């Protein structure tokens, strides 16, 4: 990261598929070419730039911010699982998340889009599940559904991961393997679809 200039061009390059000091292989560049930039969401980089302007050591600040965001993600994971399957499942989901090596790989290498995008998606999912548990109409779910759609823009892998979650969630709703009542199951299925 020390070799990436702190400018719009530098941040765009760092947030794209180009090889950078944190990426020692260039498969994406080989597949997509060296002229096209495909950036991630700019939000994490704006936060990092603000930390730089505050005079903090950027490598340290990036890791600390990512660790704090991962902690928030564990809370969101607990909340989603608890709302759907109960407190025991919430604790298990948060624990499994916190021992996932990919999570700490992203934190340790300051992969902000993966960390921030994951938190945005989980927070939106938590809001969606909570709304599905309390509102009975499609109109009542629209703000939460729109928030999920916007959160999916935070990181490219969020869309397929949310798709896998939604497919498994619908399967579990169909199999009736959790303690939700029938009305909540219908609203949650409608929200996931």
């Amino acid at each position: 990261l020390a070799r990436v200039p702190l400018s719009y061009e530098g941040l765009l390059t760092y947030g794209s598929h180009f090889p950078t000091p944190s990426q020692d292989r260039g498969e994406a560049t080989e597949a997509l070419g060296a002229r096209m930039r495909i950036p991630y969401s700019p939000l994490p980089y704006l936060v990092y730039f603000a930390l730089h302007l505050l005079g903090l050591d950027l490598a340290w600040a990036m890791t600390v911010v990512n660790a704090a965001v991962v902690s928030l993600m564990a809370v969101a994971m607990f909340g989603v699982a608890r709302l759907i399957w109960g407190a025991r499942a919430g604790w298990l989901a948060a624990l499994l998340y916190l021992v996932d090596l990919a999570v700490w790989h992203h934190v340790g290498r300051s992969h902000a889009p993966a960390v921030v995008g994951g938190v945005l998606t989980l927070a939106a999912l938590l809001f969606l599940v909570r709304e599905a548990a309390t509102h009975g109409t499609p109109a009542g779910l629209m703000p939460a559904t729109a928030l999920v759609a916007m959160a999916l823009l935070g990181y490219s892998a969020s869309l397929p991961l949310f798709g896998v979650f939604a497919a498994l969630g619908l399967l579990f709703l169909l199999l009736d393997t959790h303690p939700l009542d029938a009305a909540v199951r219908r609203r949650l299925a409608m929200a996931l679809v």
Side-chain angles (χ1 to χ4, degrees), residues 33-57:
R35 300 183 78 181
M36 181 187 304
R37 287 178 168 85
I38 303 175
Y40 292 124
S41 168
L43 177 63
Y45 303 106
L46 295 175
V47 171
Y48 290 159
F49 192 69
L51 294 172
H52 164 72
L53 293 177
L54 290 173
L56 296 173
D57 176 71

Side-chain angles (χ1 to χ4, degrees), residues 17 24 27 42 47 54 89 104 108 126 139:
H17 68 272
D24 56 5
E27 291 91 348
V47 171
L54 290 173
W104 298 108
L126 176 60

Side-chain angles (χ1 to χ4, degrees), residues 4-15:
V4 176
L6 281 172
S7 66
Y8 174 76
E9 183 77 13
L11 291 175
L12 184 62
T13 299
Y14 184 76

Side-chain angles (χ1 to χ4, degrees), residues 99-121:
V99 298
D100 183 0
L101 292 178
V103 168
W104 298 108
H105 163 79
H106 289 306
V107 170
R109 297 189 82 188
S110 296
H111 291 170
V115 174
V116 173
V119 168
L120 287 174
T121 304

Side-chain angles (χ1 to χ4, degrees), residues 114-131:
V115 174
V116 173
V119 168
L120 287 174
T121 304
L122 263 179
L125 180 61
L126 176 60
F127 183 57
L128 180 67
V129 169
R130 194 195 72 189
E131 291 299 299

Side-chain angles (χ1 to χ4, degrees), residues 65-158:
V65 166
N66 280 353
V69 168
V70 162
S71 299
L72 290 174
M73 195 168 189
V75 172
M77 182 77 70
F78 171 83
V80 168
R82 183 183 64 79
L83 278 171
I84 298 174
W85 293 287
R88 288 179 59 187
W91 286 111
L92 179 61
L95 177 63
L96 289 174
Y97 172 75
L98 288 172
V99 298
D100 183 0
L101 292 178
V103 168
W104 298 108
H105 163 79
H106 289 306
V107 170
R109 297 189 82 188
S110 296
H111 291 170
V115 174
V116 173
V119 168
L120 287 174
T121 304
L122 263 179
L125 180 61
L126 176 60
F127 183 57
L128 180 67
V129 169
R130 194 195 72 189
E131 291 299 299
T134 59
H135 291 79
T137 65
L141 291 172
M142 287 307 293
T145 306
L147 184 62
V148 169
M150 288 191 312
L152 294 178
L153 297 175
Y155 182 53
S156 54
S158 294

